[in-house]
Amino acid sequence: MKTDNPSNQRNVIFLVIVAALGYFVDIYDLVLFSVVRLQSFADIGISPENMRTDGEYVINMQMFGLLLGGLLWGIIGDKFGRIKVLFGSILMYSLANIANGFVTDVHSYAIIRFIAGIGLAGELGAGITLVTETMDKEKRGYGTMVVAGIGLLGAAAAATIGKHYTWQTSYFVGGGMGLLLLLLRVGTFESGMFKNVVEADSVSKGNFFMLFSDRKRFLKYLACICLGLPLWFIVGILVTQSPEIGKALGAKDILNAGSGIMYTYFGIAIGDVVCGFLAQVLRSRKKTVLIFQSLSVVTVIVYLTSHGLTESNFIWICLFMGFAVGYWATFVTIAAEQFGTNIRSTVTTTAPNFVRGALIPITFVFEFFVHRFDIVSAAFIVMGILTLIAIISVTSLKESFNKDLDYLEK
């Protein structure tokens, strides 16, 4: 879409704002379990010694839902339109989060988080796809930067509400915000590139198996997924399990995972803005991601060698760790720019959710090393493996900055 027309400019600005607010609610709901884990588990009768393993069980169910939902919403987005995904996904996870406030046992908790995960899978991919296909290629990096920068503040909202209200109320707020957001969605419009594909009946749309039918295309897709792995390991394990890691480090205070999540996402939000801006300055998303991946290794080393941590030191470390992995929006933008319009939504929706869902096997690997060494050594080993995979992945991809996205995969 040409954005030099004032009317078009207003439409694009509105679309970016709606996508950003949608991602805000998405992140709020996505991290809320990590924030209220201890409080909610205590209320439903889970013993202290089972809180960490039962927490892994619930969050893995949520991640499995994200895996399934990423595939479901991605295909729907390419076959029937990006707007339908925005409406359907937010309705599902909003209702699921309201239901979460009524759970009384760990199994119902896990099942509802699984359903919420399916819904949560559609928001970011559809939003980023719409923004990248609608904005000028010279400026689309700014659009995705705004979406992520505002959206990731949803984690701060989750931590704040989780701290001052009951865990049930926190879930109700998330569901309520999502339902209110549906009213804003009425004014959004469909991608022009998608409309052109719809008119071409002979084109295969949303065919997930196209990603596996060609070796080069499959390796490119796999690389898009793998370059985001360290980010979710830091959030999903290193920060979420900070009470246990802090104990192993001899922390002077009991580390609060909720506060850690909040400040980590503050850092991610700042990092996403800086990362997006730096990519525009360097005119290279690849170089920018490599810089941030290297920085993330440094921050994790600082965290895992900080013996005698205080709560204040932990908060600062979380802020810097979050900043260092603040390449989430750039990572999703890279994925969107690597593939044609007829499978772009499938890729852009599945890639970030497969990264989130990868927390399931990563958790098993992490637990394998925890039982053979200790929790801190396991964290070092897994972070090293994931960073190496991520660096190899990003270097294997072609630079996509300023790439024309109006093309199809054959």
Side-chain angles (χ1 to χ4, degrees):
M1 172 183 286
K2 297 294 184 182
T3 57
D4 50 350
N5 182 286
S7 177
N8 287 340
Q9 287 180 346
R10 287 193 296 271
N11 288 338
V12 170
I13 291 171
F14 178 72
L15 176 63
V16 171
I17 291 172
V18 170
L21 291 176
Y23 191 38
F24 178 94
V25 178
D26 178 276
I27 290 296
Y28 175 99
D29 292 332
L30 186 67
V31 306
L32 188 57
F33 170 71
S34 295
V35 172
V36 301
R37 172 175 65 105
L38 298 181
Q39 178 191 358
S40 60
F41 274 13
D43 283 355
I44 64 175
I46 295 177
S47 60
E49 61 268 20
N50 291 330
M51 283 194 177
R52 189 176 75 86
T53 53
D54 280 353
E56 289 181 345
Y57 162 54
V58 173
I59 202 168
N60 280 343
M61 285 291 283
Q62 177 178 302
M63 294 304 131
F64 184 60
L66 286 162
L67 278 173
L68 181 61
L71 181 60
L72 172 69
W73 296 118
I75 293 173
I76 290 174
D78 278 326
K79 286 185 176 294
F80 304 106
R82 288 62 162 126
I83 295 297
K84 289 183 175 61
V85 173
L86 291 177
F87 276 93
S89 64
I90 200 166
L91 180 62
M92 176 178 283
Y93 71 67
S94 296
L95 295 176
N97 275 284
I98 291 172
N100 238 138
F102 297 101
V103 299
T104 56
D105 64 272
V106 70
H107 297 298
S108 61
Y109 207 145
I111 291 169
I112 294 175
R113 290 320 297 164
F114 167 73
I115 296 170
I118 294 176
L120 289 165
E123 179 72 40
L124 178 62
I128 292 293
T129 302
L130 269 171
V131 171
T132 56
E133 290 182 343
T134 302
M135 294 188 68
D136 294 334
K137 62 182 181 180
E138 294 282 343
K139 300 176 182 178
R140 63 184 177 230
Y142 292 121
T144 57
M145 177 184 75
V146 171
V147 171
I150 295 176
L152 289 166
L153 294 177
T160 302
I161 292 174
K163 182 178 181 181
H164 292 97
Y165 297 93
T166 66
W167 60 274
Q168 294 98 331
T169 299
S170 299
Y171 279 118
F172 295 154
V173 168
M177 286 194 300
L179 294 177
L180 287 174
L181 187 62
L182 287 176
L183 300 176
L184 275 178
R185 289 288 160 80
V186 174
T188 52
F189 56 92
E190 189 56 82
S191 160
M193 290 184 189
F194 172 76
K195 289 179 179 178
N196 292 335
V197 172
V198 169
E199 294 171 0
D201 295 331
S202 61
V203 176
S204 177
K205 298 179 284 291
N207 184 354
F208 182 66
F209 297 103
M210 284 183 68
L211 296 169
F212 305 92
S213 61
D214 179 87
R215 180 177 178 274
K216 184 177 179 181
R217 187 184 294 143
F218 169 70
L219 292 176
K220 183 168 61 173
Y221 179 58
L222 184 62
C224 286
I225 295 170
C226 288
L227 71 89
L229 294 179
L231 190 155
W232 208 247
F233 172 68
I234 288 176
V235 175
I237 291 182
L238 296 189
V239 180
T240 298
Q241 295 192 21
S242 56
E244 293 84 2
I245 293 174
K247 184 178 179 181
L249 291 171
K252 295 179 180 178
D253 307 306
I254 297 176
L255 302 184
N256 187 308
S259 296
I261 289 288
M262 179 175 71
Y263 284 96
T264 299
Y265 272 90
F266 267 140
I268 292 175
I270 297 169
D272 256 312
V273 173
V274 173
C275 186
F277 181 76
L278 184 60
Q280 293 292 133
V281 172
L282 297 178
R283 302 180 69 82
S284 171
R285 307 205 202 284
K286 286 181 59 174
K287 291 178 183 177
T288 304
V289 168
L290 284 170
I291 291 170
F292 274 71
Q293 285 176 337
S294 301
L295 185 60
S296 68
V297 173
V298 175
T299 60
V300 168
I301 291 173
V302 171
Y303 174 41
L304 296 177
T305 56
S306 295
H307 297 280
L309 262 177
T310 64
E311 181 71 15
S312 176
N313 291 337
F314 171 65
I315 285 172
W316 279 105
I317 288 173
C318 285
L319 184 67
F320 287 117
M321 279 200 301
F323 177 85
V325 292
Y327 56 88
W328 184 247
T330 302
F331 143 67
V332 179
T333 304
I334 288 173
E337 293 173 337
Q338 296 292 323
F339 295 87
T341 306
N342 53 322
I343 59 170
R344 184 170 298 125
S345 176
T346 301
V347 171
T348 311
T349 306
T350 56
N353 288 302
F354 281 4
V355 169
R356 291 163 172 167
L359 189 62
I360 299 173
I362 289 172
T363 298
F364 284 122
V365 173
F366 180 66
E367 287 299 318
F368 173 84
F369 287 115
V370 167
H371 288 109
R372 281 154 183 79
F373 301 99
D374 57 72
I375 194 169
V376 175
S377 299
F380 269 121
I381 294 169
V382 176
M383 182 62 184
I385 293 171
L386 296 179
T387 301
L388 180 61
I389 293 172
I391 290 174
I392 292 172
S393 298
V394 72
T395 53
S396 70
L397 294 170
K398 291 183 179 179
E399 180 58 61
S400 57
F401 188 87
N402 280 358
K403 182 180 179 181
D404 185 0
L405 300 185
D406 195 6
Y407 70 97
L408 303 174
E409 296 286 343
K410 303 297 183 179

